[in-house]
Amino acid sequence: MSLLADNVDTTAAPLAASEQPVARTSGSSAARRRLARWWVLVPLAIVLLWALVPSLFTGHDPITGVPADKLLAPSSEHLFGTDHLGRDVFSRVVYGTRQTLLTAGLACLIGSIVGSILGLLAGTAGRFADSAAMRLVDVILAVPAFLIALILVTATEPGPLSLGLGVGIASIAAFARLVRTEVLRVRSRDFVQAALMSGGGYFTVLRRHIIPHVIGPVLSLLAVDLGAAILAISGLGFLGFGSPPPTPEWGLLISEGRQYLSVAWWLTTLPGLVIVAAVMLMATLGRAVNKAFRF
Amino acid sequence: MGGYIAKRVGQALLVIWLAYTAVFIAVQSLPNDPVTIFLNSDSAADPATIAQMKEYYGYDQPVIVQYFSQLLGLLRGDLGYSLSSGSEVSARIGEVAGSTLVLAGSAFVVAVVFAVALTAAASLARGAKLRNLLLNLPPLMVSIPVFWLGLVLLQLLAVQLGVMSLFPDDSFLSLAVPIFVLAVHLSAPIAQVLIKSVQEVNTQPFVDVLRAKGASESWIFYRHTLKNAAPAALSIAGITIGTLLAGSVITETVFARAGLGQLILQSVTVQDIPLVQGLVLLTAVVFTTVNLLVDLIHPKLDPRIITARSGSPRALAA
């Protein structure tokens, strides 16, 4: 378990030109620009609040509708219109946030934790661990993410748990590869060598010198991956592999609206826009994190 | 070079074998055998029928025998029998593969053309505003759910404008629209990699030399930058396969087209495990083959790769 990197090929992970440190402009304008980068947290906080306290944002019930109000076009009373049972679509989107985010969060948690551990092992625990971990990653990559999720859903009950697990397993590969590349990059640095030379143990050096440098890119990928998981989960939800019908879930909402495509455009179009916005916001957050942690 | 090819082919075979083993273990670790799971929803099935079917499909054999007999079948191209139709898995795949190949193949070509056009436009655009707009297009396209784009287009073209039918017929639009939907989804990652790679090539000194010699921006882009940037885009060929497959499943559902995607969906819904197993192995084989080809073509396009000491030539492109 040697971390000494006298034969590590650092050219395998060249510092991209765009990653060169930018000259800092002095004073408050730089600080303001750094702050402005985080604007994305405001809309994301709102989405998070949708998931936590949906009743704060809408007075309509997401499950029981008013039959007299069925298939109403969007108005100030019903922002996203109403569906075939007279349920307010906006409130169904708001209440569906929790289900979608929980499933996507579960997937990201599995992917990032297992993937990071695999990547750390591959990058630090020697040649055998490296090729073993990387072959495992190859196998995960060889089966498209979508199929992994489908297999899990076939083998077990369709539902948020198997959905999150399936999407999570599929995203292990991306985290493992990223962490491995970053670890290889960091461990050839002088400070890691110095820490080892002065008698630092494997876990100490890992914890104090390597992980702090790897955490930034991982967090950045985590944000992007959460967006990707939302997309994958709503896609599988659309196909009918998510929660059963009365539950509001973003993909399921759109698939229900599909039957009324010819009479009510808002049932599919407006919830879809929310998905697009959420995924883009997560990607923007990923870029902001990436910039903030650059060293 | 010979050693490099042998090593890559060996790795590819290893990955396929591991994928087969992983799927086999996954099926074995299910609480029940495939026949019992398949017949579970059928209340008419009595234990005798189940036992008979298990014997017929070979699920009563010891695990180790099943493992090797299925592996042997795989080597001969025999993927076993579908439980829901009784016909061979390979025959069922063959029935619908053509339709999906047309859809996915055309979408791939359109996506590559679109990605190159977008990269060219973004690199050659004059004003910073236009350039930023173009550079923000791929992240937007990545974020659009395939099924949603398909439904919105259906709503617009079939319901509002009435120029296409809600169900597939032989018209031009009923093939072109699904291809477009899939291509938008696919071209985004290709464009992202291509744009990033072009930006990296542009920082190299030879570009400055060309500019100093008076070459026009478009000459530099088409004759030099694009040529140097293109090999990097090959590295995401594998992702492309996965995207095409997942995209086909959803596109075929939205547009009610028959195809591989629909077959996957059906086999999952009726829990026809041998069929799912066969489809997964097929994708793993296709994926690994495409990646192997990429790894073999890559050094031809960029001879520097073969001399690098990294394990995979694509490590350089990443």
Side-chain angles (χ1 to χ4, degrees):
Chain A
M1 284 222 194
S2 158
L3 283 169
L4 274 177
D6 45 2
N7 58 354
V8 172
D9 190 359
T10 46
T11 53
L15 214 63
S18 55
E19 278 182 48
Q20 300 292 349
V22 200
R24 291 267 151 79
T25 37
S26 61
S28 64
S29 79
R32 212 177 303 135
R33 214 172 315 135
R34 228 171 296 145
L35 205 65
R37 197 190 286 148
W38 298 104
W39 65 267
V40 65
L41 288 177
V42 177
L44 279 177
I46 295 176
V47 175
L48 194 63
L49 281 177
W50 281 7
L52 293 176
V53 270
S55 53
L56 217 63
F57 295 87
T58 167
H60 296 282
D61 190 288
I63 307 283
T64 45
V66 184
D69 291 346
K70 69 173 182 184
L71 296 176
L72 292 178
S75 62
S76 55
E77 170 69 13
H78 300 285
L79 276 178
F80 285 9
T82 60
D83 68 1
H84 61 290
L85 294 175
R87 297 175 295 196
D88 180 62
V89 177
F90 180 69
S91 80
R92 282 180 68 73
V93 171
V94 170
Y95 276 89
T97 315
R98 182 181 297 171
Q99 186 70 47
T100 305
L101 280 192
L102 269 180
T103 318
L106 173 71
C108 285
L109 218 60
I110 294 169
S112 59
I113 292 177
V114 179
S116 300
I117 291 174
L118 266 183
L120 276 179
L121 279 178
T124 58
R127 219 167 245 274
F128 178 73
D130 189 12
S131 38
M134 284 303 109
R135 285 301 84 75
L136 190 64
V137 166
D138 280 345
V139 172
I140 296 175
L141 279 176
V143 183
F146 192 74
L147 261 187
I148 297 184
L150 274 187
I151 299 165
L152 246 122
V153 173
T154 329
T156 58
E157 295 262 291
L161 207 64
S162 55
L163 203 56
L165 194 64
V167 175
I169 289 177
S171 64
I172 287 175
F175 282 98
R177 286 204 158 174
L178 175 83
V179 170
R180 177 177 174 267
T181 313
E182 291 296 319
V183 167
L184 287 183
R185 197 161 69 112
V186 172
R187 67 178 252 198
S188 63
R189 293 284 187 98
D190 289 342
F191 61 81
V192 176
Q193 304 305 311
L196 287 167
M197 292 300 182
S198 52
Y202 175 82
F203 286 104
T204 319
V205 174
L206 204 61
R207 187 168 49 83
R208 301 207 21 201
H209 298 285
I210 292 185
I211 290 179
H213 282 104
V214 174
I215 202 87
V218 170
L219 286 178
S220 168
L221 180 64
L222 195 62
V224 177
D225 192 57
L226 192 60
I230 291 176
L231 263 188
I233 284 160
S234 64
L236 287 159
F238 171 78
L239 293 174
F241 295 115
S243 325
T247 334
E249 189 269 333
W250 290 355
L252 191 67
L253 273 181
I254 296 178
S255 117
E256 283 175 351
R258 187 180 166 210
Q259 286 140 6
Y260 300 89
L261 200 63
S262 49
V263 284
W265 59 270
W266 55 89
L267 290 182
T268 47
T269 310
L270 298 177
L273 280 177
V274 174
I275 298 180
V276 176
V279 177
M280 283 208 77
L281 288 171
M282 293 311 301
T284 315
L285 178 67
R287 281 200 294 277
V289 171
N290 197 24
K291 274 187 191 148
F293 276 93
R294 191 171 287 165
F295 69 99
Chain B
M1 189 70 195
Y4 170 75
I5 294 177
K7 193 180 162 202
R8 293 299 303 139
V9 172
Q11 267 180 1
L13 288 175
L14 182 69
V15 166
I16 293 175
W17 173 67
L18 283 175
Y20 164 78
T21 309
V23 172
F24 185 85
I25 293 173
V27 171
Q28 289 300 327
S29 60
L30 293 179
N32 268 316
D33 64 283
V35 172
T36 312
I37 291 175
F38 175 68
L39 291 177
N40 216 2
S41 48
D42 189 358
S43 51
D46 58 285
T49 322
I50 292 178
Q52 199 186 348
M53 264 185 88
K54 267 170 77 168
E55 195 189 329
Y56 181 74
Y57 287 106
Y59 289 116
D60 58 341
Q61 306 273 338
V63 175
I64 196 82
V65 175
Q66 285 188 43
Y67 179 82
F68 284 108
S69 69
Q70 287 182 23
L71 187 61
L72 222 71
L74 182 68
L75 288 175
R76 290 197 308 260
D78 172 14
L79 294 168
Y81 291 87
S82 153
L83 290 178
S84 53
S85 73
S87 53
E88 280 186 37
V89 167
S90 46
R92 293 206 61 185
I93 292 174
E95 277 166 30
V96 292
S99 161
T100 300
L101 266 181
V102 170
L103 176 70
S106 327
F108 178 72
V109 174
V110 175
V112 169
V113 170
F114 191 63
V116 171
L118 188 64
T119 311
S123 311
L124 298 175
R126 278 164 209 271
K129 274 220 178 91
L130 179 62
R131 183 189 297 254
N132 267 333
L133 185 77
L134 288 168
L135 286 179
N136 278 315
L137 218 49
L140 173 68
M141 293 187 321
V142 165
S143 311
I144 297 177
V146 187
F147 58 95
W148 182 71
L149 183 64
L151 286 176
V152 168
L153 283 178
L154 262 184
Q155 155 77 29
L156 197 72
L157 294 172
V159 179
Q160 307 284 350
L161 301 174
V163 290
M164 72 177 279
S165 131
L166 274 173
F167 294 97
D169 47 21
D170 289 331
S171 69
F172 169 72
L173 273 181
S174 78
L175 183 61
V177 174
I179 290 175
F180 173 78
V181 170
L182 197 49
V184 164
H185 183 57
L186 184 63
S187 69
I190 302 178
Q192 273 176 326
V193 172
L194 211 51
I195 287 174
K196 190 174 173 244
S197 167
V198 161
Q199 283 170 345
E200 266 163 35
V201 172
N202 270 335
T203 60
Q204 288 181 19
F206 82 90
V207 178
D208 290 334
V209 173
L210 286 167
R211 207 167 279 138
K213 280 179 154 179
S216 74
E217 285 300 317
S218 59
W219 172 274
I220 295 177
F221 178 77
Y222 287 112
R223 298 299 298 259
H224 297 279
T225 319
L226 195 58
K227 260 189 188 168
N228 276 289
L234 267 181
S235 63
I236 57 157
I239 300 173
T240 308
I241 300 290
T243 314
L244 269 176
L245 184 88
S248 308
V249 176
I250 291 175
T251 316
E252 284 168 3
T253 306
V254 169
F255 293 97
R257 286 173 58 90
L260 220 50
Q262 281 298 292
L263 187 65
I264 293 177
L265 213 54
Q266 277 168 22
S267 61
V268 168
T269 315
V270 301
Q271 299 198 306
D272 186 343
I273 287 169
L275 189 51
V276 177
Q277 215 174 338
L279 285 162
V280 171
L281 281 176
L282 180 76
T283 12
V285 170
V286 171
F287 175 90
T288 316
T289 314
V290 169
N291 267 336
L292 178 65
L293 287 177
V294 166
D295 278 354
L296 297 183
I297 294 170
H298 216 153
K300 295 246 184 270
L301 294 176
D302 193 347
R304 284 170 294 183
I305 285 164
I306 202 74
T307 52
R309 264 200 319 138
S310 62
S312 151
R314 278 172 294 141
L316 276 177

